[in-house]
Amino acid sequence: MLAYPVANLAGKNRRLAKLERRLQKMQPQVEQVSGELHQNQAISAEMQTLARLVQKQPVVADLLREITELLPADSYLTSVRLEKYRLYLRGYASSAAGILELLENSPFFKDVHFDSPVISKGSQETFKIVATLEQ
């Protein structure tokens, strides 16, 4: 009668030893999968950060369309530069003050001002305007 519980225990010990060997064989695969999981999580975090940055950035095509639609036909730009949320414009127009006013009235821009004095050359005025983009 005592032999049955001892045999049962011995059988369970053999099964346990067999399971432990299988676990040891699988351990390298588990570590590999764990490493890949950590890499995927890091990549996912980077992608989320990039997505947030892209969402915060102004869409340049929209800004160019807005500027193109605002500027009168007798004006032209010689330089357009965007740095973060600041837009720098250089160009010529019959009325630089008119350009400034058009930009001020646009929902895209705020804090619009001349960056240097307006220079008259014949019927044209040379201007440098700086505007902050609405966020």
Side-chain angles (χ1 to χ4, degrees):
M1 245 202 211
L2 288 173
Y4 180 74
V6 171
N8 189 14
L9 183 61
K12 287 184 179 184
N13 281 339
R14 277 193 302 274
R15 265 206 232 132
L16 182 60
K18 187 176 180 181
L19 286 173
E20 285 177 351
R21 284 192 301 273
R22 286 180 66 190
L23 282 173
Q24 286 176 351
K25 285 181 183 179
M26 295 177 75
Q27 189 62 31
Q29 293 170 338
V30 169
E31 289 173 2
Q32 180 182 359
V33 169
S34 178
E36 290 173 2
L37 175 65
H38 290 300
Q39 285 179 337
N40 287 343
Q41 288 172 338
I43 290 169
S44 177
E46 288 177 20
M47 295 299 285
Q48 289 173 358
T49 300
L50 284 174
R52 283 192 299 274
L53 287 173
V54 167
Q55 288 173 349
K56 286 184 176 182
Q57 292 297 317
V59 178
V60 175
D62 292 339
L63 292 174
L64 289 174
R65 182 174 41 260
E66 179 72 4
I67 293 167
T68 302
E69 290 175 358
L70 287 176
L71 292 177
D74 68 344
S75 64
Y76 63 95
L77 298 176
T78 58
S79 172
V80 177
R81 190 174 84 228
L82 180 63
E83 292 179 7
K84 294 194 179 187
Y85 295 100
R86 304 226 13 150
L87 178 68
Y88 299 87
L89 301 173
R90 283 183 172 186
Y92 297 91
S94 59
S95 171
I99 301 291
L100 187 80
E101 185 178 338
L102 290 170
L103 292 171
E104 285 177 331
N105 292 330
S106 169
F108 278 75
F109 310 109
K110 63 181 180 181
D111 301 327
V112 182
H113 61 276
F114 288 111
D115 196 31
S116 66
V118 174
I119 300 170
S120 294
K121 291 182 181 179
S123 65
Q124 294 286 305
E125 295 179 341
T126 302
F127 62 86
K128 292 180 184 177
I129 295 175
V130 177
T132 303
L133 303 181
E134 286 286 352
Q135 296 178 17

Short mmCIF file of all heavy atoms in Angstrom, two decimals, residues 10-66:
data_model
loop_
_atom_site.label_atom_id
_atom_site.label_comp_id
_atom_site.label_asym_id
_atom_site.label_seq_id
_atom_site.Cartn_x
_atom_site.Cartn_y
_atom_site.Cartn_z
N ALA A 10 6.90 9.38 -7.57
CA ALA A 10 8.04 9.21 -8.47
C ALA A 10 7.63 9.54 -9.91
O ALA A 10 8.37 10.19 -10.65
CB ALA A 10 8.59 7.79 -8.37
N GLY A 11 6.45 9.13 -10.31
CA GLY A 11 5.94 9.44 -11.66
C GLY A 11 5.77 10.93 -11.86
O GLY A 11 6.12 11.49 -12.90
N LYS A 12 5.25 11.58 -10.84
CA LYS A 12 5.07 13.03 -10.93
C LYS A 12 6.42 13.74 -10.98
O LYS A 12 6.59 14.72 -11.70
CB LYS A 12 4.22 13.52 -9.76
CG LYS A 12 2.77 13.13 -9.91
CD LYS A 12 1.92 13.71 -8.81
CE LYS A 12 0.47 13.28 -9.05
NZ LYS A 12 -0.44 13.85 -8.12
N ASN A 13 7.40 13.24 -10.24
CA ASN A 13 8.74 13.83 -10.27
C ASN A 13 9.37 13.69 -11.66
O ASN A 13 10.04 14.59 -12.15
CB ASN A 13 9.64 13.21 -9.20
CG ASN A 13 9.37 13.78 -7.82
OD1 ASN A 13 8.81 14.87 -7.70
ND2 ASN A 13 9.75 13.05 -6.78
N ARG A 14 9.17 12.52 -12.29
CA ARG A 14 9.71 12.31 -13.64
C ARG A 14 9.05 13.28 -14.63
O ARG A 14 9.70 13.86 -15.48
CB ARG A 14 9.49 10.86 -14.09
CG ARG A 14 10.55 9.90 -13.57
CD ARG A 14 10.47 8.55 -14.28
NE ARG A 14 9.18 7.88 -14.15
CZ ARG A 14 8.83 7.09 -13.13
NH1 ARG A 14 9.68 6.86 -12.13
NH2 ARG A 14 7.66 6.53 -13.08
N ARG A 15 7.74 13.46 -14.50
CA ARG A 15 7.03 14.39 -15.38
C ARG A 15 7.52 15.81 -15.16
O ARG A 15 7.72 16.56 -16.11
CB ARG A 15 5.52 14.34 -15.09
CG ARG A 15 4.81 13.42 -16.01
CD ARG A 15 3.34 13.85 -16.14
NE ARG A 15 2.49 12.72 -15.87
CZ ARG A 15 1.44 12.72 -15.07
NH1 ARG A 15 1.09 13.79 -14.43
NH2 ARG A 15 0.71 11.65 -14.93
N LEU A 16 7.75 16.16 -13.90
CA LEU A 16 8.25 17.49 -13.56
C LEU A 16 9.64 17.70 -14.14
O LEU A 16 9.94 18.75 -14.73
CB LEU A 16 8.26 17.68 -12.04
CG LEU A 16 8.73 19.05 -11.53
CD1 LEU A 16 7.82 20.15 -12.06
CD2 LEU A 16 8.72 19.06 -10.01
N ALA A 17 10.50 16.69 -14.04
CA ALA A 17 11.86 16.80 -14.59
C ALA A 17 11.80 16.94 -16.11
O ALA A 17 12.55 17.72 -16.71
CB ALA A 17 12.69 15.58 -14.19
N LYS A 18 10.90 16.18 -16.74
CA LYS A 18 10.75 16.26 -18.19
C LYS A 18 10.28 17.66 -18.61
O LYS A 18 10.78 18.24 -19.57
CB LYS A 18 9.74 15.19 -18.64
CG LYS A 18 9.61 15.05 -20.12
CD LYS A 18 8.65 13.89 -20.45
CE LYS A 18 8.50 13.73 -21.94
NZ LYS A 18 7.58 12.63 -22.26
N LEU A 19 9.31 18.22 -17.88
CA LEU A 19 8.82 19.58 -18.16
C LEU A 19 9.93 20.62 -17.98
O LEU A 19 10.05 21.56 -18.77
CB LEU A 19 7.61 19.91 -17.28
CG LEU A 19 6.30 19.25 -17.64
CD1 LEU A 19 5.24 19.55 -16.58
CD2 LEU A 19 5.82 19.71 -19.00
N GLU A 20 10.75 20.45 -16.94
CA GLU A 20 11.85 21.39 -16.70
C GLU A 20 12.86 21.34 -17.85
O GLU A 20 13.37 22.38 -18.28
CB GLU A 20 12.52 21.10 -15.36
CG GLU A 20 11.69 21.55 -14.17
CD GLU A 20 12.33 21.19 -12.83
OE1 GLU A 20 13.33 20.44 -12.81
OE2 GLU A 20 11.79 21.66 -11.82
N ARG A 21 13.14 20.14 -18.37
CA ARG A 21 14.06 20.03 -19.51
C ARG A 21 13.48 20.72 -20.75
O ARG A 21 14.19 21.41 -21.47
CB ARG A 21 14.36 18.54 -19.81
CG ARG A 21 15.33 17.90 -18.82
CD ARG A 21 15.81 16.54 -19.31
NE ARG A 21 14.74 15.58 -19.52
CZ ARG A 21 14.23 14.78 -18.57
NH1 ARG A 21 14.73 14.81 -17.34
NH2 ARG A 21 13.26 13.94 -18.85
N ARG A 22 12.19 20.54 -20.97
CA ARG A 22 11.54 21.20 -22.11
C ARG A 22 11.60 22.72 -21.95
O ARG A 22 11.83 23.45 -22.91
CB ARG A 22 10.09 20.74 -22.24
CG ARG A 22 9.97 19.33 -22.80
CD ARG A 22 8.55 18.88 -22.94
NE ARG A 22 7.84 19.68 -23.95
CZ ARG A 22 6.53 19.63 -24.13
NH1 ARG A 22 5.78 18.82 -23.37
NH2 ARG A 22 5.95 20.36 -25.05
N LEU A 23 11.37 23.18 -20.73
CA LEU A 23 11.45 24.63 -20.47
C LEU A 23 12.86 25.16 -20.73
O LEU A 23 13.03 26.24 -21.28
CB LEU A 23 11.02 24.95 -19.04
CG LEU A 23 9.53 24.95 -18.77
CD1 LEU A 23 9.26 25.12 -17.26
CD2 LEU A 23 8.84 26.06 -19.55
N GLN A 24 13.86 24.40 -20.31
CA GLN A 24 15.25 24.82 -20.55
C GLN A 24 15.56 24.89 -22.03
O GLN A 24 16.26 25.79 -22.49
CB GLN A 24 16.23 23.87 -19.84
CG GLN A 24 16.26 24.05 -18.34
CD GLN A 24 17.17 23.04 -17.65
OE1 GLN A 24 17.64 22.09 -18.28
NE2 GLN A 24 17.40 23.24 -16.37
N LYS A 25 15.03 23.94 -22.79
CA LYS A 25 15.24 23.96 -24.24
C LYS A 25 14.56 25.17 -24.89
O LYS A 25 15.04 25.72 -25.86
CB LYS A 25 14.71 22.67 -24.88
CG LYS A 25 15.57 21.47 -24.65
CD LYS A 25 14.96 20.26 -25.34
CE LYS A 25 15.77 19.01 -25.07
NZ LYS A 25 15.17 17.82 -25.72
N MET A 26 13.42 25.58 -24.33
CA MET A 26 12.66 26.69 -24.89
C MET A 26 13.17 28.06 -24.42
O MET A 26 12.82 29.08 -25.01
CB MET A 26 11.18 26.55 -24.52
CG MET A 26 10.51 25.33 -25.14
SD MET A 26 8.80 25.15 -24.63
CE MET A 26 8.03 26.43 -25.58
N GLN A 27 13.98 28.08 -23.40
CA GLN A 27 14.43 29.34 -22.82
C GLN A 27 15.09 30.29 -23.85
O GLN A 27 14.77 31.47 -23.87
CB GLN A 27 15.38 29.08 -21.63
CG GLN A 27 15.73 30.32 -20.84
CD GLN A 27 14.52 30.97 -20.19
OE1 GLN A 27 13.55 30.32 -19.83
NE2 GLN A 27 14.57 32.28 -20.08
N PRO A 28 15.98 29.80 -24.73
CA PRO A 28 16.56 30.72 -25.73
C PRO A 28 15.50 31.34 -26.64
O PRO A 28 15.59 32.52 -26.98
CB PRO A 28 17.52 29.82 -26.53
CG PRO A 28 17.84 28.69 -25.63
CD PRO A 28 16.62 28.48 -24.78
N GLN A 29 14.50 30.56 -27.02
CA GLN A 29 13.43 31.10 -27.86
C GLN A 29 12.62 32.15 -27.10
O GLN A 29 12.24 33.17 -27.65
CB GLN A 29 12.52 29.97 -28.33
CG GLN A 29 13.19 29.00 -29.28
CD GLN A 29 12.33 27.77 -29.54
OE1 GLN A 29 11.46 27.43 -28.75
NE2 GLN A 29 12.60 27.12 -30.66
N VAL A 30 12.37 31.88 -25.83
CA VAL A 30 11.63 32.84 -25.01
C VAL A 30 12.41 34.15 -24.90
O VAL A 30 11.85 35.24 -25.04
CB VAL A 30 11.34 32.25 -23.60
CG1 VAL A 30 10.82 33.31 -22.65
CG2 VAL A 30 10.36 31.09 -23.72
N GLU A 31 13.72 34.05 -24.69
CA GLU A 31 14.55 35.25 -24.59
C GLU A 31 14.58 36.01 -25.91
O GLU A 31 14.53 37.24 -25.93
CB GLU A 31 15.96 34.88 -24.15
CG GLU A 31 16.03 34.43 -22.69
CD GLU A 31 17.39 33.90 -22.28
OE1 GLU A 31 18.33 33.92 -23.12
OE2 GLU A 31 17.52 33.47 -21.12
N GLN A 32 14.63 35.29 -27.03
CA GLN A 32 14.62 35.93 -28.34
C GLN A 32 13.31 36.69 -28.56
O GLN A 32 13.30 37.83 -28.99
CB GLN A 32 14.83 34.90 -29.44
CG GLN A 32 14.83 35.51 -30.84
CD GLN A 32 14.99 34.48 -31.93
OE1 GLN A 32 15.12 33.28 -31.66
NE2 GLN A 32 14.97 34.93 -33.16
N VAL A 33 12.20 36.02 -28.26
CA VAL A 33 10.89 36.65 -28.44
C VAL A 33 10.76 37.86 -27.51
O VAL A 33 10.24 38.92 -27.90
CB VAL A 33 9.76 35.63 -28.19
CG1 VAL A 33 8.40 36.31 -28.10
CG2 VAL A 33 9.76 34.57 -29.28
N SER A 34 11.27 37.74 -26.31
CA SER A 34 11.22 38.85 -25.36
C SER A 34 12.02 40.04 -25.89
O SER A 34 11.58 41.19 -25.81
CB SER A 34 11.76 38.40 -24.01
OG SER A 34 11.76 39.46 -23.10
N GLY A 35 13.19 39.76 -26.44
CA GLY A 35 14.02 40.83 -27.02
C GLY A 35 13.32 41.51 -28.19
O GLY A 35 13.34 42.74 -28.31
N GLU A 36 12.69 40.71 -29.03
CA GLU A 36 11.95 41.26 -30.17
C GLU A 36 10.77 42.09 -29.70
O GLU A 36 10.45 43.13 -30.28
CB GLU A 36 11.50 40.15 -31.10
CG GLU A 36 12.66 39.51 -31.86
CD GLU A 36 12.26 38.29 -32.66
OE1 GLU A 36 11.06 37.93 -32.68
OE2 GLU A 36 13.15 37.68 -33.28
N LEU A 37 10.12 41.65 -28.64
CA LEU A 37 9.01 42.41 -28.08
C LEU A 37 9.49 43.78 -27.60
O LEU A 37 8.86 44.79 -27.88
CB LEU A 37 8.37 41.64 -26.92
CG LEU A 37 7.26 42.38 -26.16
CD1 LEU A 37 6.07 42.64 -27.08
CD2 LEU A 37 6.83 41.57 -24.95
N HIS A 38 10.63 43.81 -26.90
CA HIS A 38 11.16 45.09 -26.43
C HIS A 38 11.54 46.00 -27.60
O HIS A 38 11.29 47.20 -27.56
CB HIS A 38 12.37 44.87 -25.51
CG HIS A 38 12.01 44.27 -24.19
ND1 HIS A 38 11.15 44.87 -23.30
CD2 HIS A 38 12.40 43.11 -23.61
CE1 HIS A 38 11.02 44.11 -22.23
NE2 HIS A 38 11.76 43.02 -22.38
N GLN A 39 12.11 45.42 -28.66
CA GLN A 39 12.45 46.21 -29.85
C GLN A 39 11.18 46.77 -30.49
O GLN A 39 11.14 47.94 -30.87
CB GLN A 39 13.19 45.35 -30.88
CG GLN A 39 14.63 45.07 -30.52
CD GLN A 39 15.30 44.19 -31.57
OE1 GLN A 39 14.63 43.46 -32.29
NE2 GLN A 39 16.62 44.26 -31.63
N ASN A 40 10.16 45.95 -30.60
CA ASN A 40 8.89 46.42 -31.18
C ASN A 40 8.28 47.53 -30.35
O ASN A 40 7.72 48.48 -30.89
CB ASN A 40 7.91 45.26 -31.34
CG ASN A 40 8.29 44.33 -32.47
OD1 ASN A 40 9.09 44.68 -33.33
ND2 ASN A 40 7.71 43.14 -32.47
N GLN A 41 8.36 47.41 -29.04
CA GLN A 41 7.82 48.45 -28.17
C GLN A 41 8.60 49.76 -28.35
O GLN A 41 8.00 50.84 -28.38
CB GLN A 41 7.85 48.00 -26.71
CG GLN A 41 6.83 46.92 -26.40
CD GLN A 41 7.00 46.33 -25.01
OE1 GLN A 41 8.07 46.39 -24.41
NE2 GLN A 41 5.93 45.73 -24.49
N ALA A 42 9.91 49.67 -28.48
CA ALA A 42 10.73 50.87 -28.69
C ALA A 42 10.40 51.51 -30.03
O ALA A 42 10.27 52.74 -30.14
CB ALA A 42 12.22 50.51 -28.61
N ILE A 43 10.26 50.71 -31.07
CA ILE A 43 9.92 51.23 -32.39
C ILE A 43 8.53 51.87 -32.36
O ILE A 43 8.32 52.95 -32.92
CB ILE A 43 9.98 50.11 -33.45
CG1 ILE A 43 11.44 49.70 -33.69
CG2 ILE A 43 9.33 50.55 -34.76
CD1 ILE A 43 11.61 48.44 -34.52
N SER A 44 7.61 51.23 -31.68
CA SER A 44 6.26 51.78 -31.57
C SER A 44 6.27 53.13 -30.85
O SER A 44 5.58 54.07 -31.27
CB SER A 44 5.36 50.79 -30.83
OG SER A 44 4.08 51.33 -30.64
N ALA A 45 7.05 53.24 -29.79
CA ALA A 45 7.15 54.51 -29.06
C ALA A 45 7.74 55.60 -29.96
O ALA A 45 7.27 56.74 -29.96
CB ALA A 45 7.99 54.33 -27.80
N GLU A 46 8.76 55.25 -30.74
CA GLU A 46 9.36 56.22 -31.66
C GLU A 46 8.35 56.66 -32.72
O GLU A 46 8.27 57.85 -33.06
CB GLU A 46 10.59 55.63 -32.34
CG GLU A 46 11.79 55.48 -31.43
CD GLU A 46 12.97 54.82 -32.13
OE1 GLU A 46 13.02 54.82 -33.37
OE2 GLU A 46 13.84 54.31 -31.41
N MET A 47 7.59 55.73 -33.24
CA MET A 47 6.59 56.05 -34.26
C MET A 47 5.50 56.96 -33.68
O MET A 47 5.05 57.89 -34.36
CB MET A 47 5.97 54.77 -34.82
CG MET A 47 6.94 53.89 -35.58
SD MET A 47 7.66 54.70 -37.00
CE MET A 47 6.31 54.66 -38.12
N GLN A 48 5.10 56.73 -32.46
CA GLN A 48 4.10 57.59 -31.82
C GLN A 48 4.65 58.99 -31.62
O GLN A 48 3.94 59.98 -31.84
CB GLN A 48 3.65 56.98 -30.50
CG GLN A 48 2.79 55.75 -30.67
CD GLN A 48 2.47 55.06 -29.34
OE1 GLN A 48 2.93 55.47 -28.29
NE2 GLN A 48 1.69 53.99 -29.42
N THR A 49 5.93 59.09 -31.23
CA THR A 49 6.56 60.40 -31.07
C THR A 49 6.61 61.13 -32.40
O THR A 49 6.29 62.31 -32.49
CB THR A 49 7.98 60.24 -30.49
OG1 THR A 49 7.88 59.60 -29.22
CG2 THR A 49 8.66 61.58 -30.33
N LEU A 50 7.02 60.43 -33.46
CA LEU A 50 7.06 61.04 -34.79
C LEU A 50 5.67 61.47 -35.25
O LEU A 50 5.51 62.54 -35.84
CB LEU A 50 7.65 60.05 -35.80
CG LEU A 50 9.15 59.85 -35.75
CD1 LEU A 50 9.58 58.74 -36.69
CD2 LEU A 50 9.88 61.14 -36.10
N ALA A 51 4.68 60.66 -34.98
CA ALA A 51 3.31 61.00 -35.38
C ALA A 51 2.85 62.28 -34.68
O ALA A 51 2.23 63.14 -35.30
CB ALA A 51 2.36 59.85 -35.06
N ARG A 52 3.18 62.41 -33.39
CA ARG A 52 2.82 63.63 -32.66
C ARG A 52 3.53 64.85 -33.25
O ARG A 52 2.94 65.91 -33.40
CB ARG A 52 3.13 63.49 -31.18
CG ARG A 52 2.11 62.64 -30.42
CD ARG A 52 2.29 62.76 -28.91
NE ARG A 52 3.59 62.31 -28.45
CZ ARG A 52 3.89 61.06 -28.14
NH1 ARG A 52 2.98 60.11 -28.26
NH2 ARG A 52 5.10 60.74 -27.72
N LEU A 53 4.81 64.69 -33.59
CA LEU A 53 5.56 65.81 -34.19
C LEU A 53 4.98 66.21 -35.54
O LEU A 53 4.85 67.40 -35.83
CB LEU A 53 7.04 65.43 -34.35
CG LEU A 53 7.86 65.37 -33.07
CD1 LEU A 53 9.26 64.81 -33.36
CD2 LEU A 53 7.97 66.74 -32.44
N VAL A 54 4.64 65.22 -36.34
CA VAL A 54 4.08 65.52 -37.66
C VAL A 54 2.74 66.22 -37.52
O VAL A 54 2.45 67.17 -38.25
CB VAL A 54 3.95 64.22 -38.50
CG1 VAL A 54 3.10 64.44 -39.73
CG2 VAL A 54 5.33 63.71 -38.88
N GLN A 55 1.93 65.80 -36.58
CA GLN A 55 0.63 66.43 -36.37
C GLN A 55 0.77 67.87 -35.92
O GLN A 55 -0.05 68.71 -36.25
CB GLN A 55 -0.20 65.64 -35.36
CG GLN A 55 -0.70 64.32 -35.89
CD GLN A 55 -1.37 63.48 -34.82
OE1 GLN A 55 -1.30 63.78 -33.64
NE2 GLN A 55 -2.02 62.41 -35.24
N LYS A 56 1.82 68.17 -35.17
CA LYS A 56 2.03 69.53 -34.68
C LYS A 56 2.57 70.47 -35.76
O LYS A 56 2.38 71.67 -35.68
CB LYS A 56 3.03 69.53 -33.51
CG LYS A 56 2.47 69.00 -32.22
CD LYS A 56 3.51 69.13 -31.13
CE LYS A 56 2.98 68.71 -29.80
NZ LYS A 56 3.99 68.88 -28.74
N GLN A 57 3.25 69.91 -36.74
CA GLN A 57 3.87 70.73 -37.77
C GLN A 57 2.82 71.27 -38.74
O GLN A 57 1.88 70.59 -39.09
CB GLN A 57 4.91 69.93 -38.57
CG GLN A 57 6.12 69.54 -37.77
CD GLN A 57 6.90 70.75 -37.30
OE1 GLN A 57 7.12 71.68 -38.04
NE2 GLN A 57 7.32 70.73 -36.06
N PRO A 58 3.02 72.52 -39.16
CA PRO A 58 2.09 73.07 -40.15
C PRO A 58 2.28 72.35 -41.49
O PRO A 58 3.38 71.92 -41.82
CB PRO A 58 2.52 74.53 -40.25
CG PRO A 58 3.92 74.57 -39.77
CD PRO A 58 4.06 73.45 -38.77
N VAL A 59 1.23 72.26 -42.22
CA VAL A 59 1.29 71.64 -43.53
C VAL A 59 1.76 72.71 -44.52
O VAL A 59 1.06 73.70 -44.75
CB VAL A 59 -0.07 71.05 -43.94
CG1 VAL A 59 -0.01 70.45 -45.32
CG2 VAL A 59 -0.52 70.02 -42.91
N VAL A 60 2.95 72.51 -45.05
CA VAL A 60 3.58 73.52 -45.90
C VAL A 60 2.73 73.80 -47.14
O VAL A 60 2.60 74.95 -47.55
CB VAL A 60 5.01 73.07 -46.29
CG1 VAL A 60 5.64 74.03 -47.26
CG2 VAL A 60 5.86 72.94 -45.03
N ALA A 61 2.15 72.79 -47.72
CA ALA A 61 1.32 72.99 -48.92
C ALA A 61 0.14 73.92 -48.60
O ALA A 61 -0.20 74.78 -49.41
CB ALA A 61 0.82 71.66 -49.45
N ASP A 62 -0.46 73.77 -47.43
CA ASP A 62 -1.57 74.64 -47.04
C ASP A 62 -1.09 76.08 -46.87
O ASP A 62 -1.78 77.03 -47.26
CB ASP A 62 -2.21 74.16 -45.74
CG ASP A 62 -2.95 72.84 -45.90
OD1 ASP A 62 -3.31 72.49 -47.05
OD2 ASP A 62 -3.15 72.15 -44.88
N LEU A 63 0.09 76.25 -46.28
CA LEU A 63 0.64 77.60 -46.11
C LEU A 63 0.93 78.26 -47.47
O LEU A 63 0.61 79.43 -47.68
CB LEU A 63 1.92 77.56 -45.29
CG LEU A 63 1.78 77.18 -43.82
CD1 LEU A 63 3.15 77.04 -43.17
CD2 LEU A 63 0.95 78.22 -43.10
N LEU A 64 1.53 77.50 -48.36
CA LEU A 64 1.83 78.05 -49.68
C LEU A 64 0.55 78.42 -50.44
O LEU A 64 0.50 79.46 -51.11
CB LEU A 64 2.66 77.06 -50.49
CG LEU A 64 4.11 76.89 -50.03
CD1 LEU A 64 4.79 75.78 -50.82
CD2 LEU A 64 4.88 78.18 -50.15
N ARG A 65 -0.47 77.59 -50.33
CA ARG A 65 -1.74 77.90 -50.98
C ARG A 65 -2.33 79.18 -50.40
O ARG A 65 -2.80 80.05 -51.13
CB ARG A 65 -2.72 76.74 -50.83
CG ARG A 65 -4.05 77.01 -51.55
CD ARG A 65 -5.04 75.86 -51.58
NE ARG A 65 -5.20 75.07 -50.39
CZ ARG A 65 -4.64 73.87 -50.15
NH1 ARG A 65 -3.88 73.32 -50.99
NH2 ARG A 65 -4.85 73.21 -49.05
N GLU A 66 -2.29 79.32 -49.08
CA GLU A 66 -2.82 80.51 -48.43
C GLU A 66 -2.07 81.76 -48.87
O GLU A 66 -2.68 82.77 -49.21
CB GLU A 66 -2.75 80.35 -46.90
CG GLU A 66 -3.25 81.53 -46.12
CD GLU A 66 -4.77 81.71 -46.15
OE1 GLU A 66 -5.47 80.86 -46.74
OE2 GLU A 66 -5.24 82.71 -45.59
#
